[in-house]
Amino acid sequence: MRKKGANGQESRARLLTVAANEFARSGYHKTKISTIVSRAGLTQPSFYLYFDSKEAVFNELMLKFRSQLKELIADGRLEAGISREDVPGRITAVLSSLFEFLERDPDLTQIGFFIGQEASEVKKELTAMIEQNLKAEQKDGYFQQEANMTIIAECLVGTLERLTLQQLLTGKCTPEDLAHQVVNLYMFGITA
Amino acid sequence: MRKKGANGQESRARLLTVAANEFARSGYHKTKISTIVSRAGLTQPSFYLYFDSKEAVFNELMLKFRSQLKELIADGRLEAGISREDVPGRITAVLSSLFEFLERDPDLTQIGFFIGQEASEVKKELTAMIEQNLKAEQKDGYFQQEANMTIIAECLVGTLERLTLQQLLTGKCTPEDLAHQVVNLYMFGITA
Amino acid sequence: MRKKGANGQESRARLLTVAANEFARSGYHKTKISTIVSRAGLTQPSFYLYFDSKEAVFNELMLKFRSQLKELIADGRLEAGISREDVPGRITAVLSSLFEFLERDPDLTQIGFFIGQEASEVKKELTAMIEQNLKAEQKDGYFQQEANMTIIAECLVGTLERLTLQQLLTGKCTPEDLAHQVVNLYMFGITA
Amino acid sequence: MRKKGANGQESRARLLTVAANEFARSGYHKTKISTIVSRAGLTQPSFYLYFDSKEAVFNELMLKFRSQLKELIADGRLEAGISREDVPGRITAVLSSLFEFLERDPDLTQIGFFIGQEASEVKKELTAMIEQNLKAEQKDGYFQQEANMTIIAECLVGTLERLTLQQLLTGKCTPEDLAHQVVNLYMFGITA
DNA sequence: CATGAATGAGTATTCATTCAT
DNA sequence: AATGAATGAATACTCATTCAT
């Protein structure tokens, strides 16, 4: 009865957005419910109207990130049979859209990649998916037979993680740019 | 009934070790002084006999990591003038000793690389140092002139970070092994 | 089971009253938040709902005393120009209302006059104000020209302080009574 | 065996002096044993070699003050039978030596007069003694018969207390000076 | 005579969470 | 749909005090 046009879904969404921002900026523990509700223009009990607990909001955000990421990966699988010279372009496109996704909601990316223990799992899953793809492509002869794709995938994820944090989310590079550079580096190295 | 051979320095060291382990396993906030002292076989006031605060121990650990790392890096700078075919070997050696250092005290590595806000600074500094080295070598003609060393350095740090966490600290790979693979990847890529 | 008519302002007031009583009886350090809230029928967190800290409540009480006192003094300034024979009556009235004020809230008086380091400042201020008044009256010829009003003011404040503690707050004398005796003493002495 | 010329009595004396200073400056609660021993160049256990507890040192200091004061008062009792014109001089001398005593050891005076609950008793006793003397002199006809000596004594003690704190211990006035002024004020008042 | 090392007991403060309205 | 008021449970930190040497 306080806010006239009060709308449950809107309040919930606002809380979620603010929560994401707080978690992203301050981490899980330093984030206080009191801050979230205050920034959302609500009071503490209202928070519990929409979420079961602090952990619950966090999980919801994490889940959101994970499912979006999973979906993206599922769509972007490299099909076999493309010609050798198209591989770089194809991979660039995949990475590009991955960076685009990571750029879309910085707070969510921060949470999904860097906050909480689940972030670790997320990256493990991402690594596994990438490893699968790389191995398939290796089997098809696109990559060196002796390359250890488990390690390469790990390297790549570390690279993506760091570039996301330092170049993408800071606005220093565009998704396409980053994708290009990564592909170049990983395919041909930097030797003169 | 006090410990007979009660020795201050020993108690302090024990507290420091346990603290490192707790911080590494649980992060800064979840780590409780009560757990630390209990594991060290002491009581809470004893903790404050040796450290000013929870933050102070953490800072001491972080400082320890940072100074050790700095020292390592300072020592390991590539000298210019080595012949072209020795560059890979030289870099491998540097990375190898870096991984060895990171492997030596896993808890400290965890803290210095992954816990707290300073970890971010640590990696930035590491990135900057690496970037310097890479640029010097690029100037000497070892690497492609058009490679963006800022980005490469970032990629490399991400790679190191991830390999440390997933391969090194889990005991899956040796420092030498990882160094080799990273150098191979970054110098020549994985294209067949 | 919350109090039915739970009312924030009332709770706050209750806390303030109890706090004043505890500070007055036990001094700042011996006063425990746990005692205050317990006597106020609340729990510890509730205390922090209304006050920032133990120090903050104390300061609030001290401020309350100081501002009330300041107001009283401001109102009671002796106007010049009254006839010589009215001076004693006038001063008696002023002291009387001062004692009345000090009697009104014994706990607050205890705090403002005897507890904490600010009590010292309070008395210094009071002394300064009284000195001003006495000097003005001296200039008007009501008092001996050679009397050192700085000292007299100090004596008077000591006297007021002690009488308040021993005679007023113990109920042994009324404000009027005390005022009369003080004026008599200070104006004419006790010589036969 | 640490300090070569270590002398128990000397250490004890040093502790006592430092303790007095700390109590005087910071009050009972804020005074820490750790500070005392540190300033005395000793360690905590040594403190307990000479005193049973924090309270015990304080009591010892308080007792010291009280007994010295009691002795002083006992000596200074006004004998009856002196001529009327000598009364002021006699009283001045008494007050003067009282102020001198209070000036001798400022820390002890601070403790005995202003710190702890016993200070209250001290002043009550002082008041009682003064009241006795005044009443005796009143009976002898030196003072007005209708003066309420209970109140006057109280006033006087307040005055002494305040002058000691503000004028004597700050070095602004000498004992003789203060004694004179007080006697003048209390005997003849300030009326022009 | 003195201390290095350790502790029992206490206290302010914080935060997620809940009831009654 | 929302809130004013309140709390359970936890935690960092302090200080006087004590053994064993």
Side-chain angles (χ1 to χ4, degrees):
Chain A
M1 200 214 237
R2 301 290 139 131
K3 304 267 170 146
K4 230 188 156 165
N7 176 326
Q9 286 315 300
E10 202 181 298
S11 292
R12 189 180 203 284
R14 226 177 323 134
L15 284 168
L16 210 52
T17 305
V18 173
N21 188 248
E22 284 294 321
F23 283 132
R25 290 201 322 202
S26 320
Y28 183 82
H29 283 97
K30 283 193 186 168
T31 292
K32 295 187 280 184
I33 302 291
S34 60
T35 307
I36 295 175
V37 295
S38 149
R39 283 189 51 196
L42 290 171
T43 57
Q44 309 220 26
S46 294
F47 176 90
Y48 292 91
L49 215 54
Y50 300 112
F51 306 99
D52 281 343
S53 66
K54 180 181 175 178
E55 209 188 344
V57 223
F58 186 81
N59 287 341
E60 182 165 333
L61 289 165
M62 184 59 91
L63 184 64
K64 190 174 166 191
F65 178 83
R66 293 182 78 157
S67 55
Q68 286 182 8
L69 178 60
K70 209 164 276 185
E71 191 184 349
L72 183 86
I73 298 282
D75 294 352
R77 185 155 284 127
L78 261 186
E79 286 101 37
I82 54 178
S83 69
R84 180 167 253 89
E85 59 266 23
D86 277 6
V87 170
R90 200 53 234 281
I91 299 184
T92 304
V94 171
L95 288 187
S96 202
S97 63
L98 177 57
F99 278 126
E100 263 162 28
F101 160 70
L102 293 171
E103 194 186 28
R104 214 141 44 218
D105 188 339
D107 290 341
L108 209 57
T109 297
Q110 193 82 23
I111 290 170
F113 254 32
F114 305 104
I115 313 247
Q117 47 206 117
E118 274 187 88
S120 184
E121 287 175 44
V122 167
K123 282 182 278 191
K124 267 187 200 160
E125 282 177 21
L126 184 59
T127 307
M129 292 183 200
I130 288 178
E131 188 185 342
Q132 290 312 104
N133 284 1
L134 288 178
K135 278 186 174 165
E137 289 148 19
Q138 183 182 36
K139 199 167 261 172
D140 290 350
Y142 298 126
F143 302 138
Q144 297 165 15
Q145 291 308 311
E146 66 276 17
N148 180 341
M149 287 313 184
T150 304
I151 299 293
I152 304 291
E154 212 76 83
C155 293
L156 184 51
V157 169
T159 287
L160 298 179
E161 178 187 334
R162 191 106 201 114
L163 289 178
T164 298
L165 195 62
Q166 298 301 121
Q167 306 295 128
L168 188 68
L169 297 187
T170 57
K172 290 182 187 159
C173 291
T174 65
E176 295 74 32
D177 199 19
L178 289 174
H180 262 108
Q181 300 216 41
V182 170
V183 169
N184 245 315
L185 171 63
Y186 275 73
M187 296 212 64
F188 311 111
I190 59 170
T191 305
Chain B
M1 206 155 335
R2 310 311 190 290
K3 293 276 162 74
K4 222 187 163 170
N7 178 327
Q9 287 314 304
E10 206 179 295
S11 292
R12 188 181 203 281
R14 224 178 324 135
L15 283 168
L16 209 53
T17 305
V18 174
N21 189 246
E22 284 295 320
F23 283 132
R25 290 200 325 201
S26 321
Y28 184 81
H29 282 96
K30 281 194 184 165
T31 291
K32 293 181 283 183
I33 302 291
S34 61
T35 307
I36 295 175
V37 294
S38 149
R39 280 189 50 196
L42 292 171
T43 57
Q44 302 228 23
S46 293
F47 176 90
Y48 293 92
L49 208 57
Y50 300 110
F51 306 99
D52 281 344
S53 65
K54 179 180 174 181
E55 208 188 345
V57 223
F58 186 81
N59 287 342
E60 181 166 333
L61 289 166
M62 183 59 93
L63 184 64
K64 191 175 166 191
F65 178 82
R66 292 182 79 156
S67 55
Q68 285 183 8
L69 178 60
K70 210 164 274 183
E71 191 185 350
L72 184 85
I73 298 282
D75 293 351
R77 187 156 282 129
L78 261 187
E79 288 101 38
I82 53 177
S83 68
R84 178 166 257 89
E85 58 266 24
D86 278 5
V87 171
R90 201 55 235 279
I91 300 185
T92 304
V94 170
L95 287 187
S96 202
S97 62
L98 178 58
F99 279 127
E100 263 162 28
F101 161 70
L102 293 171
E103 193 186 29
R104 212 137 47 215
D105 190 339
D107 290 340
L108 208 57
T109 297
Q110 193 79 23
I111 290 170
F113 256 31
F114 305 105
I115 314 252
Q117 48 206 112
E118 272 186 272
S120 184
E121 286 175 46
V122 168
K123 283 183 276 189
K124 267 185 200 163
E125 281 178 20
L126 184 60
T127 307
M129 293 184 201
I130 288 178
E131 188 184 343
Q132 291 310 105
N133 283 359
L134 289 178
K135 279 184 172 167
E137 290 148 17
Q138 184 181 35
K139 199 167 262 170
D140 290 350
Y142 298 126
F143 303 139
Q144 299 164 15
Q145 293 308 313
E146 67 275 17
N148 179 341
M149 287 314 183
T150 304
I151 299 291
I152 305 291
E154 212 77 82
C155 292
L156 184 52
V157 168
T159 285
L160 298 179
E161 179 187 334
R162 189 108 200 111
L163 289 178
T164 297
L165 196 63
Q166 298 302 122
Q167 305 296 127
L168 188 69
L169 298 186
T170 56
K172 289 181 185 159
C173 291
T174 66
E176 295 75 31
D177 198 19
L178 290 174
H180 269 291
Q181 301 216 41
V182 170
V183 170
N184 246 317
L185 171 62
Y186 274 72
M187 297 213 61
F188 312 112
I190 59 171
T191 306
Chain C
M1 204 150 345
R2 309 317 190 284
K3 295 276 161 72
K4 226 188 157 167
N7 177 329
Q9 288 313 304
E10 206 179 294
S11 294
R12 190 181 201 282
R14 224 178 324 135
L15 283 169
L16 210 53
T17 305
V18 174
N21 189 247
E22 284 295 321
F23 283 132
R25 290 200 323 200
S26 319
Y28 184 82
H29 282 97
K30 281 195 185 165
T31 292
K32 292 181 283 182
I33 302 291
S34 61
T35 307
I36 295 175
V37 294
S38 147
R39 281 189 50 196
L42 290 171
T43 56
Q44 303 228 24
S46 293
F47 175 90
Y48 292 91
L49 208 57
Y50 300 111
F51 306 98
D52 280 343
S53 64
K54 180 180 171 180
E55 208 188 343
V57 224
F58 186 81
N59 287 342
E60 181 165 333
L61 289 166
M62 184 59 92
L63 183 65
K64 191 176 166 189
F65 177 82
R66 292 182 78 155
S67 56
Q68 285 182 10
L69 178 59
K70 208 164 275 184
E71 193 184 348
L72 184 85
I73 298 283
D75 294 351
R77 184 155 283 130
L78 261 186
E79 286 102 36
I82 53 178
S83 68
R84 179 168 254 88
E85 59 267 23
D86 277 5
V87 170
R90 199 54 235 278
I91 299 184
T92 304
V94 171
L95 288 187
S96 201
S97 63
L98 178 57
F99 279 125
E100 262 163 30
F101 161 70
L102 293 171
E103 192 186 31
R104 210 138 51 213
D105 189 340
D107 290 340
L108 207 57
T109 297
Q110 192 80 22
I111 290 170
F113 254 32
F114 305 105
I115 314 249
Q117 48 207 113
E118 271 186 273
S120 183
E121 287 175 46
V122 167
K123 282 182 277 192
K124 269 187 199 160
E125 281 177 22
L126 184 59
T127 307
M129 291 185 202
I130 287 178
E131 189 185 341
Q132 290 311 104
N133 284 1
L134 288 178
K135 279 184 173 166
E137 290 146 19
Q138 184 181 35
K139 198 168 262 170
D140 289 351
Y142 297 126
F143 302 139
Q144 297 164 14
Q145 292 308 313
E146 67 276 16
N148 179 341
M149 287 313 184
T150 304
I151 299 291
I152 304 289
E154 212 77 81
C155 293
L156 183 52
V157 168
T159 286
L160 297 179
E161 181 186 332
R162 190 108 201 112
L163 289 178
T164 297
L165 197 62
Q166 297 302 124
Q167 306 295 128
L168 187 69
L169 298 187
T170 57
K172 289 182 186 157
C173 291
T174 65
E176 295 74 32
D177 198 20
L178 290 173
H180 262 109
Q181 303 217 39
V182 170
V183 170
N184 245 316
L185 172 62
Y186 274 72
M187 297 212 62
F188 310 111
I190 58 172
T191 304
Chain D
M1 202 212 240
R2 301 290 142 133
K3 303 267 171 150
K4 229 187 156 168
N7 177 323
Q9 287 315 303
E10 201 182 300
S11 292
R12 188 179 203 284
R14 225 175 325 133
L15 283 169
L16 209 54
T17 306
V18 174
N21 188 247
E22 284 295 320
F23 283 132
R25 290 199 324 200
S26 319
Y28 183 81
H29 283 97
K30 281 193 184 166
T31 292
K32 295 186 280 185
I33 300 292
S34 60
T35 307
I36 295 175
V37 294
S38 149
R39 281 188 53 194
L42 290 170
T43 57
Q44 309 221 25
S46 293
F47 176 90
Y48 292 91
L49 214 56
Y50 300 111
F51 305 99
D52 281 344
S53 65
K54 179 181 176 180
E55 210 187 343
V57 224
F58 186 81
N59 287 341
E60 182 166 334
L61 289 165
M62 183 59 91
L63 183 64
K64 191 174 165 191
F65 177 82
R66 292 181 78 158
S67 55
Q68 286 182 9
L69 178 60
K70 208 164 277 181
E71 191 183 348
L72 184 86
I73 299 281
D75 294 350
R77 185 155 284 127
L78 257 187
E79 289 101 35
I82 53 178
S83 68
R84 180 168 254 88
E85 59 266 25
D86 277 5
V87 169
R90 197 57 233 275
I91 299 184
T92 304
V94 170
L95 287 187
S96 202
S97 64
L98 177 57
F99 278 127
E100 263 161 29
F101 161 70
L102 293 171
E103 194 185 28
R104 213 137 48 216
D105 189 341
D107 290 341
L108 209 57
T109 297
Q110 193 81 24
I111 291 170
F113 255 31
F114 305 105
I115 313 253
Q117 47 206 117
E118 274 186 88
S120 185
E121 286 175 46
V122 167
K123 282 181 279 190
K124 267 186 200 160
E125 282 176 22
L126 184 60
T127 308
M129 292 185 202
I130 288 178
E131 188 184 343
Q132 291 311 106
N133 284 359
L134 288 178
K135 279 185 173 165
E137 290 149 19
Q138 184 180 36
K139 200 168 260 170
D140 290 349
Y142 297 126
F143 302 139
Q144 296 164 17
Q145 293 308 312
E146 67 275 19
N148 179 341
M149 287 314 181
T150 304
I151 299 291
I152 304 289
E154 211 77 82
C155 293
L156 184 53
V157 168
T159 285
L160 298 180
E161 178 187 336
R162 191 110 199 110
L163 288 179
T164 298
L165 195 63
Q166 297 303 122
Q167 305 295 127
L168 188 69
L169 298 186
T170 58
K172 290 181 186 158
C173 291
T174 66
E176 295 73 34
D177 198 20
L178 289 174
H180 268 293
Q181 302 217 39
V182 170
V183 169
N184 244 317
L185 171 63
Y186 274 72
M187 298 214 61
F188 312 111
I190 58 172
T191 305

